């Protein structure tokens, strides 16, 4: 599956599920379930019946930041997307041009030395490209070291052109989000977890499903075609590593909620297949050739994925399953992007133990 999936514009989810009609909540989205190439269609509130006691869900606790800030270069208006904070105090940033409709369009980064004036007489100076792969993201230094304070005072959530209007930051927080010790977070919401509500989590727990919190602070997702993921901060706590290793030892399924959770946990597994408590930076790209060593399945949103995203899905489920799932989502008129529907990818069961179709019905 080497081509990028193209989704009709009308299939983009323009507002959150809870704003699409009376009586709706975050969990009022659809759930596509894949078990190998078997596919079935459900409501997300049926998720507890698609899982089983003993399943372990890996959830990303990173909170979403108000990462978009208005600025000026000379007399020209720009929008700065603050993506990732470096160890040296600099920030990886993306400059965007306002499009006059409340959203932005791509803008070439640089050159080095470019100064952006932000609110409160704060200055951002671009220093060098983040990676040699392109000039979209740059390392920049901010005159006020309290960038997180700047975002709280003057920032707003990053918004893309397919959405209808600005939303408060609370709309972009998942039920699993926890304050980081250093106040950091994600430039964009770990959106696979958005449909979860406290009520649904309680039902899952009551049915014997377990949760292992991990953290990966995501950067901006407006990637250029075939641009590989760049390093992001992650942490797998000791307690979660123990839960994961115990589930594997007991033959129980480990399901990641979002590709960010996959990236974090697969960065913490050692050569012997044991998950260790770790934190730091990861630039891991999960491919079919590398495979996955920890996760058995994945709950993911429906996006127009870049090549690295597709490769991760193929590594978990195989190309045939992903092609079938995407085909069903398109023909079934599922909604795409962070406010849209979700896809549960379950492992094919051993035919001598339990048929996959028992989870797809």
């Amino acid at each position: 599956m080497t081509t990028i999936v193209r989704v009709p514009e009308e299939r983009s989810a323009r507002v959150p599920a809870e704003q699409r009609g009376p009586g709706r909540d975050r969990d009022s989205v659809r759930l596509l379930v894949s078990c190998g190439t078997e596919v079935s269609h459900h409501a997300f509130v049926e998720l507890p019946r698609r899982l089983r006691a003993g399943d372990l869900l890996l959830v990303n606790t990173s909170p979403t930041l108000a990462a978009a800030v208005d600025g000026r270069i000379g007399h020209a208006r720009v929008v700065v997307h603050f993506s990732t904070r470096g160890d040296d105090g600099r920030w990886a940033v993306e400059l965007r041009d306002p499009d006059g409709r409340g959203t932005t369009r791509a803008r070439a980064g640089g050159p080095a030395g470019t100064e952006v004036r932000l609110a409160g007489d704060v200055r951002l100076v671009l220093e060098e490209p983040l990676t040699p792969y392109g000039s979209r993201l740059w390392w920049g230094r901010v005159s006020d070291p309290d960038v997180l304070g700047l975002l709280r005072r003057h920032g707003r959530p990053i918004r893309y052109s397919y959405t209808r209007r600005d939303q408060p930051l609370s709309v972009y927080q998942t039920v699993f989000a926890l304050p980081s010790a250093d106040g950091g977070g994600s430039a964009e919401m770990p959106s696979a977890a958005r449909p979860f509500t406290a009520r649904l989590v309680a039902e899952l727990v009551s049915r014997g499903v377990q949760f292992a919190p991990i953290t990966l602070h995501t950067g901006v997702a407006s990637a250029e075609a075939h641009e590989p993921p760049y390093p992001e901060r992650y942490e797998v706590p000791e307690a979660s590593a123990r839960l994961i290793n115990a589930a594997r030892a007991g033959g129980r399924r480990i399901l990641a909620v979002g590709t960010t959770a996959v990236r974090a946990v697969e960065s913490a597994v050692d050569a012997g297949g044991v998950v260790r408590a770790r934190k730091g930076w990861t630039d891991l790209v999960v491919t079919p050739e590398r495979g996955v060593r920890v996760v058995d399945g994945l709950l993911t949103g429906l996006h127009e994925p870049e090549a690295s995203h597709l490769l991760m899905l193929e590594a978990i489920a195989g190309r045939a399953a992903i092609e079938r799932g995407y085909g069903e989502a398109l023909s079934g008129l599922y909604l795409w992007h962070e406010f849209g529907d979700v896809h549960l990818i379950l492992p094919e069961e051993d035919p001598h133990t339990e048929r996959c179709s028992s989870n797809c019905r």
Side-chain angles (χ1 to χ4, degrees), residues 200-334:
L200 191 132
V201 170
E203 183 179 353
L204 287 165
V205 171
S206 73
R207 288 174 174 261
V209 175
Q210 294 184 307
F211 293 84
I214 58 182
T215 302
L216 186 137
H217 294 320
T218 67
V220 296
S222 52
E224 298 166 352
H226 307 297
E227 181 179 326
Y230 50 86
E232 293 170 316
R233 289 181 182 272
Y234 81 101
E235 180 176 4
V236 176
E238 178 64 43
S240 294
R242 289 198 300 269
L243 279 171
I244 296 165
N245 291 326
R248 294 189 72 208
R252 293 183 281 123
R253 299 188 303 186
I254 299 172
L255 309 173
V257 178
T259 57
T260 60
V262 177
R263 200 172 182 213
V265 74
E266 293 288 335
S267 298
V269 62
D270 65 18
V274 177
V275 175
R276 304 292 184 184
R278 286 181 181 167
K279 63 180 178 179
W281 293 88
T282 179
D283 58 1
L284 176 67
V285 179
V286 177
T287 66
E289 291 73 25
R290 178 203 183 266
V292 287
R293 301 169 186 169
V294 181
V295 301
D296 301 302
L298 171 68
L299 180 74
T300 180
L302 295 167
H303 303 280
E304 292 178 302
E306 300 302 324
S308 62
H309 182 114
L310 287 170
L311 289 173
M312 179 186 289
L313 300 189
E314 289 180 22
I316 293 170
R319 177 174 297 189
I322 299 307
E323 288 181 340
R324 175 72 190 279
Y326 269 80
E328 287 281 328
L330 287 169
S331 63
L333 303 182
Y334 278 66

Side-chain angles (χ1 to χ4, degrees), residues 128-270:
E128 60 181 336
L130 183 66
T131 73
Y133 306 114
S135 59
R136 182 175 66 91
L137 288 159
W138 280 67
W139 284 115
R141 196 170 295 277
V142 184
S143 60
D144 182 349
D146 184 19
V147 173
L148 294 172
L150 173 74
L151 300 185
R152 287 192 295 271
R153 293 189 301 273
H154 302 291
R156 60 186 180 277
I158 290 175
R159 176 188 161 205
Y160 288 112
S161 59
Y162 49 78
T163 57
R164 184 172 296 163
R165 55 180 174 266
D166 285 343
Q167 299 284 349
L169 184 60
S170 59
V171 166
Y172 292 88
Q173 302 293 4
T174 75
V175 71
F176 303 112
L178 295 172
S180 296
D182 62 357
S186 290
E188 297 185 10
M189 171 178 56
S191 57
R194 190 184 190 279
F196 285 86
T197 61
R199 178 183 61 248
L200 191 132
V201 170
E203 183 179 353
L204 287 165
V205 171
S206 73
R207 288 174 174 261
V209 175
Q210 294 184 307
F211 293 84
I214 58 182
T215 302
L216 186 137
H217 294 320
T218 67
V220 296
S222 52
E224 298 166 352
H226 307 297
E227 181 179 326
Y230 50 86
E232 293 170 316
R233 289 181 182 272
Y234 81 101
E235 180 176 4
V236 176
E238 178 64 43
S240 294
R242 289 198 300 269
L243 279 171
I244 296 165
N245 291 326
R248 294 189 72 208
R252 293 183 281 123
R253 299 188 303 186
I254 299 172
L255 309 173
V257 178
T259 57
T260 60
V262 177
R263 200 172 182 213
V265 74
E266 293 288 335
S267 298
V269 62
D270 65 18

